[in-house]
Amino acid sequence: MAERVTQVSARWWSEMTSSARLLMAAKTAVACALAWVLAPLLPTQDQYSYYAPLGVLVSMYPTVAASARSGAQAMLGLAVGVGLGLLGIAALFAGLPAVLTLALIIAIGVIIGGIRALGVGREWVAIAALFVLLLSGSQADDFSVSYLVTVAFGVLIGVVVNYAILPPVYLDTAGARLSELRDDIADLLRVLADRAAEGNIDAAEVSQPDAGLDAVIADVHDEVHEADESLRGNPRGRRRRAEKVENLQRLRALERTAFYSRDLADVLYALDREGDAAVGLEARGALAEAIRRCADLVATPVGDTASSNRVADADRAVEAYADDLTAVVGNEGVARRSTPVALLQRIIDASLPFVPDGRHPAP
């Protein structure tokens, strides 16, 4: 338990103190201060200047594109909420009880917030309506206009600061996370190879490296797409389009490789449980070697000069297992028993786009 707490605490500390997070904190602080100082210059009531830093917080996201999109969505949600709040004030003047008016307006705001197209603005509909109802007093029109204009000004400041001060590019972070996923999949294959060599493909042990793979894949997927988004509208990313394409290709290949690897583990476990000759004593050595060579190929960094030779090694090992399998079982039940061969071949094929010479190793 103590070890788990330590690991979680270390991960949280690492996430909080990452260079990207610290830069974002600094930019947000600068933008909020700037919005606060400049807000009194707006043609609105000075007493609502504190909404400008709120606009900055609404719009400050890790990427420039996300800042612009979220700022626009928040403004749309706020505008709808303000309109809803003004309807509530009209209902009060018409004689509707205050408590009932408040309940109805909040309920309607929450219902409108169910529109997914509003994005982050969904959360602001009910909040804006509540502000208008409770804070505008007898100056509902002035408050509403000042509220929207001041928040919009803060959003603009946030987007401009995010664009002007070191707009982030997350390609390197995404590349590193893809490499971690690659290594996790290779570890899964190596454990499977060891168990196959021992003739004891235990489902629980094989699944142990696989236990957190779904979460890792989901995290890496988010990282890669955030890196992709970080290039949009970003002057620092114009020369790095090729890296973006490579990361997306690596993600798709690793997702396929993870699927094939898990499928391979399931098939081998089922064959082992049945005592099938495909994983029996006469074939298990070649099977383990084929899985190991595929693991080595998966673990090879992109562009590594040894990758072509590793493709050749993996191909030879899979062919050797296929030959042993044919010698042991003949043509009986070949469709089902050849499934491991097909899955290993698919793992090899998924790696080929990142091998400089493909299946033609350098002399």
Side-chain angles (χ1 to χ4, degrees), residues 163-176:
Y163 177 85
I165 302 178
L166 295 175
V169 176
Y170 295 113
L171 291 173
D172 292 337
T173 302

Side-chain angles (χ1 to χ4, degrees), residues 6-293:
T6 301
Q7 291 175 346
V8 171
S9 299
R11 186 175 72 249
W12 287 356
W13 178 256
S14 176
E15 292 170 349
M16 288 190 299
T17 58
S18 68
S19 58
R21 196 66 190 176
L22 293 176
L23 175 61
M24 184 178 171
K27 291 199 294 186
T28 304
V30 169
C32 282
L34 191 60
W36 173 259
V37 170
L38 296 179
L41 301 178
L42 295 173
T44 57
Q45 297 184 33
D46 290 352
Q47 61 182 323
Y48 301 123
S49 295
Y50 55 85
Y51 285 122
L54 175 62
V56 172
L57 294 175
V58 164
S59 67
M60 193 58 73
Y61 276 76
T63 68
V64 175
S67 285
R69 182 182 62 251
S70 300
Q73 290 172 344
M75 288 309 305
L76 180 58
L78 287 170
V80 173
V82 167
L84 188 60
L86 291 175
L87 287 177
I89 291 175
L92 289 175
F93 279 113
L96 200 66
V99 173
L100 180 58
T101 300
L102 177 65
L104 286 174
I105 292 301
I106 295 302
I108 295 171
V110 172
I111 291 171
I112 294 174
I115 301 174
R116 294 185 180 276
L118 289 174
V120 299
R122 300 163 61 189
E123 310 300 329
W124 289 98
V125 176
I127 294 174
L130 181 65
F131 279 6
V132 171
L133 275 176
L134 299 184
L135 302 180
S136 61
S138 59
Q139 299 178 328
D141 293 343
D142 290 342
F143 173 83
S144 300
V145 171
S146 297
Y147 180 35
L148 284 175
V149 171
T150 308
V151 173
F153 177 72
V155 167
L156 179 62
I157 292 292
V159 173
V160 169
V161 168
N162 205 8
Y163 177 85
I165 302 178
L166 295 175
V169 176
Y170 295 113
L171 291 173
D172 292 337
T173 302
R177 293 289 285 138
L178 283 164
S179 296
E180 291 175 14
L181 174 59
R182 175 198 68 203
D183 293 340
D184 287 346
I185 297 171
D187 288 343
L188 170 62
L189 287 170
R190 290 189 178 111
V191 170
L192 184 58
D194 291 341
R195 299 293 79 78
E198 296 168 3
N200 180 26
I201 304 175
D202 182 81
E205 188 171 358
V206 170
S207 65
Q208 187 173 356
D210 179 41
L213 203 56
D214 281 333
V216 174
I217 291 173
D219 287 344
V220 172
H221 189 277
D222 291 343
E223 293 273 7
V224 170
H225 285 280
E226 184 174 69
D228 180 18
E229 186 178 65
S230 72
L231 298 183
R232 299 174 191 168
N234 189 337
R236 297 177 65 208
R238 290 171 185 165
R239 298 181 180 179
R240 304 186 66 179
R241 304 293 176 183
E243 294 177 61
K244 162 195 153 182
V245 173
E246 181 181 277
N247 279 349
L248 290 171
Q249 289 176 337
R250 289 181 68 192
L251 175 63
R252 287 193 288 268
L254 287 172
E255 286 177 331
R256 290 198 301 271
T257 302
F259 175 79
Y260 300 145
S261 300
R262 288 164 152 174
D263 208 10
L264 177 64
D266 290 340
V267 170
L268 293 180
Y269 172 67
L271 291 171
D272 183 65
R273 188 176 52 187
E274 297 167 8
D276 196 281
V279 293
L281 182 60
E282 296 179 352
R284 71 175 60 154
L287 172 61
E289 181 67 11
I291 299 173
R292 242 180 239 110
R293 291 292 162 257

